[in-house]
Amino acid sequence: MLKTTQLKYSYDSQNSFSFPDIQCGAGEKWLMLGQSGCGKTTLLHLLGGLLRPKAGDVVIGSTTINKLSNTELDKFRGKHVGIIFQRPHFIRALTVSENLQLAQKLAGVTQSKNRIESLLNRLNIGNKINAKPHNLSQGEQQRVAIARALVNEPDLILADEPTSALDDKNTEEVIKLLENQAQEENATLLIVTHDGRLKNYFEKQILL
């Protein structure tokens, strides 16, 4: 479902990365561990098509995403990849529902309020559908970010440091939430983190 071969990326002559090959099956749950500065976020951005590799390939399903044009890549990512960033980014002027509808529109998929309502209810924030994201708690914003990543029924869910600012109880809750939602969607889940607490939650692990 997700496969990489001989991936390399360089920001400049002093900051270059070579990554191990990855192969994750459909519906599998993976943890990628590594200390700060080892290139975890860079690799996540390569996997999500936010950066293009200097060498090597990223294959999602049967599509080599780094071979796509910018327009093709934007459409593919919107439909097939859900990314949960370390810090949620929303458009302040829009409600929760409108932010999720925008994600649908930008991906070129049919806008569905029923899909949005169902997702938010599953995440126990259905009552926040008409709220502005900046008026929500950190935990509620995180759930909206998960909903936005899932709204287009992606095949691949990428999460960047989703537990770095959380205590043990909330860490366990977020991990279970991500696992449950990925299972509901039959999506591959890959969490990128330096949080060693997560080792016990995942059998399949990649160490950078």
Side-chain angles (χ1 to χ4, degrees), residues 87-99:
R87 296 179 181 176
H89 300 281
F90 303 106
I91 297 179
R92 288 176 61 90
L94 302 182
T95 66
V96 166
S97 178
E98 289 166 344
N99 268 278

